[in-house]
Each structure stands twice: as structure tokens, then as C-alpha cells.
Amino acid sequence: MDYLPLIGIVAVIAGFALRLRVTVTVLAAGFVTGIVAGMPIVGTDAAPGIVDTLGRAFANGRAITLFVLALPAIGLSERYGLQEQARRVILKISAATVGRLQLVYQFFRIAVVAMGIRLGSGHVIFAKPIVVPMAVGITDDAEADQVKAASAASENYGNFFGQNLFFGAAGVALVVSTLKQNGLTADPRQIAKWTIPIVIASVILSAVQYGLLDRWLRKRAAKRSSGRP
Amino acid sequence: MIGALTSLDAVFIASGVVLLIFAVFTLVDRTNPSRVGSAIFWGLLGLSFALGSVLPAWATGTLVVSMAVVDGLGLVRHGVHKEPSEKERVRAADRFGWRIFLPVLMIPALTYLPSLIPWGPGVSGDRIVFVSLGYASIAAGIVAWMLTRARPIALVHEGRRLADAIGAVVILPQLLASLGTLFTAAGVGKAIAKAVGLVIPTESPLAVAFACCLTIAAFTFVMGNSFAALPVIMSGLGVPLLIERFHLDAGAVGLILLTGASCGTLCTPMAANFNIVPAALFEMRDPYGVIKFQAPYAAAMFVVHVALLWTLIWMT
């Protein structure tokens, strides 16, 4: 029964399709997978069980959620005009559009990761306090989810497709170690150079998508202003 | 002493304390329709952070299951937080000007600076980054408080306002990473690679390039993590089908499959820290709004990866 573990995937898809709470879906998928794999509910060090594997992985993953420590500083700055100030700064640049702002941010993000600088979640430390209020300030259209979505996307695009430009990146190291397990060798510098065509393509496609977003926002703004008496 | 203060545990304990403070204030927040349930959730999360390194794994696991149950019962809700009025915001911006960026910009700056110091072997990169991030966040809070001359309690209120905006989604990144670990332990990856290996037409270079990219992207979609996908897909498909059969550069195949996997990451709610938490944090109406925006781009990038692999096969 080699394919039985795949039932966990079925559980995840079913959970999302039925719009169950994601936490519940994930937990159910975990238990189903563990049970069909013959894991006990609570195991020992020698034979790990479901609950202890979840707990160990959750504790080991705490760094992902470390951003909660930054929330008081960001929240207080927001309370005292951070978003308004971000709006003022961006409105001084008459050429600024949401799309161009996102492209500039993406270039910035690529430069940061290409130098091997890791800062935790860019969504929390750059996008939330700075990029999102600037983008919303340009459109003056807080209703447009797409403006905020683009601010998350530019962070992800820059981070995902740019990070392996740095030959010491975790992704490059993973490629090296994976190849080694398969009896192959490769030089990290040679691996990293394959990122160049990918990052170029990613920036071109971003420019296209942000251009389309700007066009959509212009049409939307025109419709809004003509709709008002 | 210095070692203890600069350990990951120190910043995890600090986060745990902050979360426990949030829990206490949630408990007395009369604007929250489910203040007890919400307080239990934040309290359990705080405990898992503060005690995660000393509790036995089954105990932390029990905390995790309890948090999911509390959320599953719909008991995690948020209070009503007073948003500053237009007038207040304009007045604050007039008063502080660009200085209000100071605390926020301190966080990346202070996170980066310690990584310039040669710490020597035995100090992991993770530890430098996250310990710096933790202390940078605390320092930024203190600077924001001194700059605005707000009451210290305002840090708690404003932090809790943002935490409430995120809600129970906050545990998803860790929870999904845990699910990935369970999947790996149960052999999910091997089963996928084996199933795909049976159906791939191995004669056509384009079909092989397409199938390898699609499998790793789909695998990443399910697991939410390209790093978990790469070792499985490389040994199952990349090495036998691309490197050995078509004699491609091994490093190129590895890297292209790795970023090809990111096309899956862009589309999946399982990568909650990249796609779901931002939607909550930016207060978007659609929790899947980020994914919907990214999906067409991911499809285009997917084509780029297939084309790149295909070109490599033609060139060798």
C-alpha cells in the first residue's frame, strides 16, 4: 500500500473544497496521514507518534512566527501617522503609480536577498508599514484588494526568484546537498548563475502584471469619478 | 549569561511573554464577542512559545491540537479597536513627520547589522538573524514609545490590534510546516514521485521537462514548501529522467526545479506565511486575494521554467 499516505493530500483538498477552517483541515490531514502510516497518537523517541511529531515540528518552527514581537512597534507607529506619512512621501513623486512602486520594491527586495541579507518576513517589516500604505495612498482606493495583494506579491516574487542569486543562499545549499545524496557534485557559484535567466524573466513578467494593474486602476478611477455627480 | 541572552530561546520566551500579555488583555476586552476563547488561544500560543524548548514534544503537540480545536469551534474572534480618525492621523503626521519611520526602519537595519560581525563557527545563521530580529523588534518598540511619548500600555493595545487583525491564521505557517514533517515521515513524497514516474512519457524531452516542473510545483502546492519537495523530486525524477537520461548540468536542473517549485508556492494556501498571513495582516477582504493575484504570474513563470529546461535539453 505505497500510495495510502496520499490520503492526507485528499483530506487537505477536501477540507479546502468544503471551506472548513484551515487549522481543522490541517490537523485532520495530519492525523489521517499519521494513522494510515501506522504512527501511534503519542509515540516515543524511538517510534514518533502524531501528537509529538506535530509538537516537535511546531516548536522547531517558532522562528516563522517571531514577527509577533514587531507588532507593538509597527502598531504604535501606525497610530502616530506612519501610514499618512508614507502617503505624503509617495505623493511627492508625481510619476509614482502602484505598479511602478511595486516594481521598485521588487528590485529593492532582489538586491537585499542577492546580497545574502535575511531579515525575517518582508511582509511584516517592509510591506505592512511602508509599501501597503504608499500603494493605498497613491490610489486613494482602499477598497481595491488588488493594490494590497500586489504588495504581498512583489515581496514574494522578489524573494522567491531572487534569493538564489546569492551562492550562499539556503536554496543553493539545498541543491548541493540533494545532488550529493544522489552521488553528484556541483559548485554553488555555478548553480547560482542559473538564477540569472529566471530572475530576468520574473522581473519582465512582473512589469507586465503591474502595468496591467495600473491600467485596471486607471479605468476603475475613471469609472468612480464619472459615477459621482 | 550572554550566551543565554543571545540564544533563540531568549527571543522565543520574549515572544511568549508578549503573547501572554495579549491574552490577558484579550480576556478583559469587553468588545470581543468571544473574549475567553480568544484569550485561551493567545495564551496557548504564548505558552508554546515560552516553553517550547523545555516542554516534552507531546505536551507542545497537545497545545497545538488545543489551539486548532479552539479555532475550529469558532471561538477565536477579535475585539473592536478604535482606529485613529483622519484628523488625528494628519495631526500626528504633521507633528512627527519622517521621524515616525524611525522605529519601523530600525527593525531591518538592526536585524542586518549583527550579521556583519564574524561570529565564528558554532553560531548558526538562523540564530544571528532571528535573535537580531527579536531584539530589533523590542528596541523599535521602545523607540516608538519614546518618540511618540505615548503611554507604554499603548504598545500593548496597538500590538494587539494587529494581532487581532491576523487572528488564528497566525499559527498556520507553523502548523503547516508541522504537517509537512508528518507527510514526510509518512512517505507522502515518495508515493507522489513513484506515481508520477509511472505515467511520464520518457521519450519526449518537452513532456519530461513539463512533467518534472509540474510534479515539483504540485508537490509544493500540497506541502507549501519547496525545500521539502526538492530532495524527493530530484531523486525520484530529476536525477534519473533529466540528469542521467539527457546528461543535463546537474546544478542547473536542481536550481530550475527549485524555483519551478516556487510557482506552486505562489498558488497555495499551504504556504500561509507568504500568502495567507499577508492577506490578514493587510486587512484584505478576500483571504485568498494574494493567491488569486499571483496565480496568473505563477503560470507564466511555470512556462518559463519548462522552456528553460527544454532549451537545456536541446543544447546538450
Side-chain angles (χ1 to χ4, degrees):
Chain A
M1 293 311 275
D2 288 345
Y3 299 118
L4 206 54
L6 297 180
I7 194 165
I9 296 175
V10 176
V12 169
I13 294 169
F16 279 113
L18 296 172
R19 291 176 177 268
L20 298 180
R21 270 175 205 275
V22 183
T23 44
V24 177
T25 301
V26 170
L27 206 61
F31 272 89
V32 169
T33 304
I35 289 167
V36 298
M39 294 169 83
I41 300 292
V42 177
T44 57
D45 283 340
I50 300 169
V51 173
D52 45 305
T53 301
L54 277 176
R56 195 173 296 112
F58 195 85
N60 289 340
R62 281 175 292 170
I64 321 178
T65 317
L66 197 59
F67 66 80
V68 293
L69 262 183
L71 297 181
I74 295 173
L76 192 62
S77 305
E78 284 185 354
R79 181 92 215 173
Y80 286 88
L82 180 70
Q83 289 144 320
E84 174 65 20
Q85 193 60 32
R87 198 177 78 92
R88 289 183 184 183
V89 168
I90 197 74
L91 288 182
K92 282 191 187 141
I93 305 167
S94 56
T97 65
V98 174
R100 287 174 193 165
L101 171 70
Q102 300 304 347
L103 199 60
V104 169
Y105 177 68
Q106 192 173 329
F107 273 115
F108 166 76
R109 199 66 180 92
I110 291 170
V112 168
V113 287
M115 285 188 283
I117 301 173
R118 292 171 56 206
L119 297 169
S121 168
H123 294 288
V124 178
I125 61 177
F126 291 124
K128 164 75 180 167
I130 297 173
V131 182
V132 171
M134 282 185 172
V136 172
I138 293 170
T139 56
D140 211 18
D141 184 357
E143 295 294 300
D145 253 7
Q146 281 81 349
V147 172
K148 294 176 178 173
S151 308
S154 59
E155 158 70 28
N156 287 337
Y157 299 165
N159 180 19
F160 292 178
F161 298 112
Q163 60 176 274
N164 298 318
L165 283 172
F166 175 55
F167 66 82
V172 175
L174 179 69
V175 172
V176 172
S177 67
T178 304
L179 290 173
K180 205 170 169 186
Q181 277 168 15
N182 290 280
L184 297 159
T185 51
D187 174 15
R189 283 160 221 267
Q190 292 300 313
I191 295 173
K193 84 174 187 213
W194 289 101
T195 310
I196 295 170
I198 290 165
V199 84
I200 292 172
S202 82
V203 169
I204 293 172
L205 288 173
S206 303
V208 171
Q209 189 179 23
Y210 301 148
L212 291 171
L213 174 68
D214 277 345
R215 206 174 72 169
W216 181 79
L217 286 170
R218 272 198 306 274
K219 279 188 188 159
R220 196 176 141 96
K223 206 180 278 172
R224 273 200 315 169
S225 55
S226 67
R228 277 184 204 145
Chain B
M1 184 65 187
I2 303 257
L5 280 175
T6 59
S7 66
L8 277 168
D9 272 335
V11 290
F12 289 149
I13 291 170
S15 312
V17 170
V18 167
L19 289 163
L20 287 169
I21 294 173
F22 286 176
V24 170
F25 278 80
T26 302
L27 191 62
V28 296
D29 179 357
R30 296 196 179 278
T31 66
N32 189 324
S34 173
R35 60 198 169 103
V36 176
S38 309
I40 290 174
F41 176 85
W42 292 108
L44 291 172
L45 184 60
L47 285 180
S48 76
F49 258 80
L51 305 178
S53 302
V54 290
L55 285 180
W58 63 264
T60 312
T62 309
L63 292 177
V64 175
V65 173
S66 313
M67 279 186 270
V69 169
V70 172
D71 178 47
L73 295 171
L75 295 178
V76 184
R77 307 280 292 274
H78 58 83
V80 180
H81 298 277
K82 204 174 137 261
E83 296 285 334
S85 70
E86 174 83 31
K87 212 161 127 194
E88 280 173 315
R89 273 186 293 146
V90 169
R91 202 167 49 206
D94 286 341
R95 183 168 151 212
F96 297 109
W98 63 269
R99 283 180 299 157
I100 200 65
F101 287 124
L102 216 64
V104 168
L105 293 177
M106 269 175 71
I107 298 176
L110 291 185
T111 305
Y112 171 57
L113 284 178
S115 65
L116 297 174
I117 302 167
W119 290 97
V123 181
S124 72
D126 265 6
R127 179 169 158 196
I128 298 168
V129 171
F130 291 112
V131 172
S132 311
L133 176 62
Y135 282 110
S137 302
I138 295 168
I142 294 170
V143 168
W145 163 60
M146 288 178 14
L147 177 74
T148 60
R149 300 204 191 124
R151 288 179 304 149
I153 200 72
L155 280 168
V156 175
H157 289 316
E158 298 303 324
R160 214 165 62 78
R161 174 174 63 82
L162 295 183
D164 262 1
I166 303 173
V169 162
V170 75
I171 64 164
L172 276 187
Q174 274 174 266
L175 195 58
L176 289 162
S178 310
L179 180 67
T181 308
L182 258 180
F183 274 6
T184 309
V188 171
K190 290 191 187 104
I192 291 186
K194 197 173 160 206
V196 173
L198 292 177
V199 296
I200 288 187
T202 52
E203 296 309 316
S204 153
L206 180 60
V208 172
F210 180 78
C212 287
C213 286
L214 186 65
T215 310
I216 196 161
F219 190 102
T220 305
F221 184 93
V222 172
M223 307 282 276
N225 180 352
S226 59
F227 278 34
L230 190 77
V232 178
I233 303 296
M234 275 301 276
S235 54
L237 301 173
V239 172
L241 293 181
L242 289 167
I243 297 171
E244 284 170 3
R245 190 180 172 85
F246 293 110
H247 309 291
L248 296 190
D249 182 283
V253 170
L255 190 99
I256 294 168
L257 288 183
L258 181 63
T259 53
S262 297
C263 300
T265 315
L266 289 172
C267 301
T268 180
M270 303 296 278
N273 48 331
F274 298 118
N275 300 334
I276 303 295
V277 169
L281 191 63
F282 303 167
E283 294 169 60
M284 289 170 59
R285 277 166 303 165
D286 183 354
Y288 297 115
V290 174
I291 291 174
K292 287 175 187 164
F293 187 86
Q294 291 176 161
Y297 178 93
M301 277 307 287
F302 178 80
V303 174
V304 168
H305 282 83
V306 175
L308 206 55
L309 268 187
W310 196 32
T311 316
L312 275 182
I313 296 175
W314 280 116
M315 279 166 49
T316 34

